[in-house]
Amino acid sequence: MIKIGNNSTGINNGASSVTISHTVGNNSDRILVVGVQARDVNAIKRSVSGITYNGVALTQIRGQEQGSCRVELWYLLAPSVGTFNVVVTMNGTPVSLSAGVTDIYDAMQQTP
């Protein structure tokens, strides 16, 4: 059965990136999941150009647009244990930018 570790959030309105300090515990079969929400004007939808945790790139799961908002989910298998920065970088500067980070453990690593 999967278990939820720590949760962290960050907001940086009017900026092209947000940095969030996040702690991953020393648990087995870890996955880091990041959700990003960006809102813009005139239906311009800025997308994420990349996300890193401790300098390691995450992989996109999916992105979806609705009106002037875009949401994306990203993940990283076996993230480093400890407290490191999650850095979300956009391909432009949205009006609002927020992200949430969760680490999950005891999760299947082959097909997360």
Side-chain angles (χ1 to χ4, degrees), residues 62-82:
R62 182 163 186 205
Q64 180 72 41
E65 297 174 355
Q66 179 69 38
S68 62
C69 290
R70 178 164 177 87
V71 294
E72 296 189 25
L73 284 175
W74 293 65
Y75 77 97
L76 175 64
L77 293 177
S80 298
V81 172

Side-chain angles (χ1 to χ4, degrees), residues 20-80:
I20 304 162
S21 178
H22 184 79
T23 302
V24 172
N26 189 14
N27 300 304
S28 61
D29 299 324
R30 299 178 305 277
I31 299 176
L32 186 76
V33 178
V34 178
V36 179
Q37 182 271 333
R39 185 180 62 79
D40 225 323
V41 294
N42 301 324
I44 298 170
K45 296 167 191 81
R46 312 276 182 194
S47 60
V48 174
S49 61
I51 300 178
T52 60
Y53 171 74
N54 190 26
V56 179
L58 277 73
T59 301
Q60 185 183 41
I61 298 170
R62 182 163 186 205
Q64 180 72 41
E65 297 174 355
Q66 179 69 38
S68 62
C69 290
R70 178 164 177 87
V71 294
E72 296 189 25
L73 284 175
W74 293 65
Y75 77 97
L76 175 64
L77 293 177
S80 298

Side-chain angles (χ1 to χ4, degrees), residues 80-101:
S80 298
V81 172
T83 302
F84 300 101
N85 285 335
V86 172
V87 180
V88 176
T89 305
M90 303 297 293
N91 69 358
T93 304
V95 171
S96 69
L97 172 60
S98 59
V101 183

Side-chain angles (χ1 to χ4, degrees), residues 5-26:
N6 297 310
N7 299 299
S8 305
T9 59
I11 298 172
N12 198 3
N13 294 330
S16 61
S17 68
V18 62
T19 299
I20 304 162
S21 178
H22 184 79
T23 302
V24 172
N26 189 14

